[in-house]
Amino acid sequence: MATRLLLITNSDAGTADREAVDAALAVLREGAEVEVCGTSSPEELDDVLASAGERTVVVAGGDGSIHAVVQALHARADLAGRTLALIPLGTGNDFARTLGLPLDPAQAARVVLTGTPRPTDLVVDEDGQVTVNSVHLGAGAEAGKRGARWKERLGKVGYPIGALQTALNPPSLRVRVEVDDEVVVDVDQPVLMVAVGNGASVGGGTELTPDAEPHDGQVDVLVATPRGPVARLGYLVRLPFARHEDHGDVRILRGRTVRVSGTAFDCNSDGEIDGPVRSRTWQVQPAAYAMVVPPR
């Protein structure tokens, strides 16, 4: 009996993405029975997922697309025991990078047919909002917000531009950061950035939490507290080149529960900006679902 797949695409995608989907679809149909469903709204996505049955759900898109599908399945209490796969079509494709997926659509489709479902962790906040790859606040969220203005024109180069723009006028938060109930930093110390990484990178390969592993039941938590304008500038200039860990005021911890509270802050979760909020708690749900990854 042939493998049965439900391929979810973006109905509003441009010509290049449609051609990429066609290339992936040609490979998938070599070894599977595939239904293709295009969606353009959360309501349409929810309707499509309601009919998924036991099929593997294949997402053709980027971090935002896989985020939307996982969020919808989580909200339906239909994520546990489900297998998902990813054809990377986004600008950054950071979760695909962490999973070791090829960024070429046809090669990624081959992995869908030959890969292995691997239990994958999910990060969920107190409001039931999910993070598949990474959530960050402070300078990272500001860089993402500014980079989004460049992203449509320049692609993944937008995030480094946003980071460098943020370096010229960096934010400063007064927040308490707790990892597994241990206070890492309190409101008496300015915080430039906090990142909760289920995956390694954001912005198309900027490795905020380079050792993060979405299959180990924990997240990597980066806390950056450089003091003074020169130290802050030095950190943010290193950020696009994944050399921020070299900065002396950077700590990376590991845990299962992360709480940030204090002055109002925005959150960037898988590229989606939310806020401002004054408190947020994230918890890891180990092995919440399975992702198809390259065979080991």
Side-chain angles (χ1 to χ4, degrees):
M1 180 176 172
T3 302
R4 299 176 67 233
L5 306 175
L6 173 62
L7 177 62
I8 297 178
T9 67
N10 181 358
S11 296
D12 299 326
T15 302
D17 277 356
R18 288 196 296 270
E19 291 174 352
V21 169
D22 288 344
L25 190 56
V27 174
L28 293 176
R29 284 183 166 152
E30 292 175 10
E33 176 186 315
V34 188
E35 179 185 2
V36 182
C37 290
T39 67
S40 60
S41 69
E43 294 75 21
E44 290 181 0
L45 177 60
D46 198 54
D47 287 344
V48 167
L49 291 173
S51 65
E54 300 296 319
R55 292 178 290 179
T56 294
V57 177
V58 184
V59 182
D63 294 321
S65 298
I66 188 71
H67 174 104
V69 169
V70 172
Q71 179 68 66
L73 290 169
H74 176 76
R76 294 174 51 83
D78 190 24
L79 188 60
R82 187 167 287 286
T83 298
L84 276 62
L86 180 60
I87 306 291
L89 297 182
T91 304
N93 296 315
D94 287 289
F95 195 53
R97 295 170 193 271
T98 290
L99 296 175
L101 296 175
L103 300 185
D104 176 79
Q107 293 178 19
R110 187 68 61 190
V111 171
V112 175
L113 298 179
T114 63
T116 304
R118 189 174 183 189
T120 300
D121 305 332
L122 184 65
V123 182
V124 184
D125 71 18
E126 66 267 49
D127 294 329
Q129 299 302 302
V130 308
T131 294
V132 173
N133 180 62
S134 179
V135 57
H136 46 99
L137 56 100
E142 185 64 25
K145 188 186 301 183
R146 296 187 181 198
R149 300 166 190 165
W150 296 92
K151 182 177 174 181
E152 291 184 6
R153 282 182 286 171
L154 300 176
K156 69 178 184 179
V157 178
Y159 184 78
I161 292 175
L164 293 173
Q165 288 180 328
T166 302
L168 301 176
N169 185 25
S172 181
L173 302 176
R174 294 283 183 164
V175 291
R176 171 180 287 190
V177 181
E178 301 167 76
V179 179
D180 290 347
D181 297 324
E182 175 187 348
V183 178
V184 177
V185 64
D186 216 332
V187 293
D188 60 341
Q189 184 174 7
V191 171
L192 180 64
M193 181 176 181
V194 179
V196 179
N198 194 40
S201 69
V202 301
T206 299
E207 293 187 338
L208 287 185
T209 49
D211 297 323
E213 168 64 60
H215 313 290
D216 62 3
Q218 293 184 304
V219 286
D220 284 24
V221 185
L222 175 146
V223 181
T225 56
R227 294 177 178 270
V230 174
R232 289 169 180 265
L233 180 62
Y235 172 84
L236 288 166
V237 167
R238 288 183 176 95
L239 187 60
F241 309 103
R243 295 190 56 216
H244 53 288
E245 279 190 288
D246 298 341
H247 200 286
D249 295 314
V250 173
R251 296 177 64 186
I252 296 184
L253 307 93
R254 314 199 73 220
R256 293 185 61 165
T257 302
V258 183
R259 183 170 189 265
V260 180
S261 58
T263 55
F265 54 87
D266 289 334
C267 300
N268 183 325
S269 173
D270 299 333
E272 302 294 322
I273 305 292
D274 178 41
V277 297
R278 296 184 67 91
S279 176
R280 182 138 294 171
T281 301
W282 295 275
Q283 288 190 316
V284 179
Q285 293 187 356
Y289 63 107
M291 283 293 306
V292 178
V293 300
R296 289 184 281 180

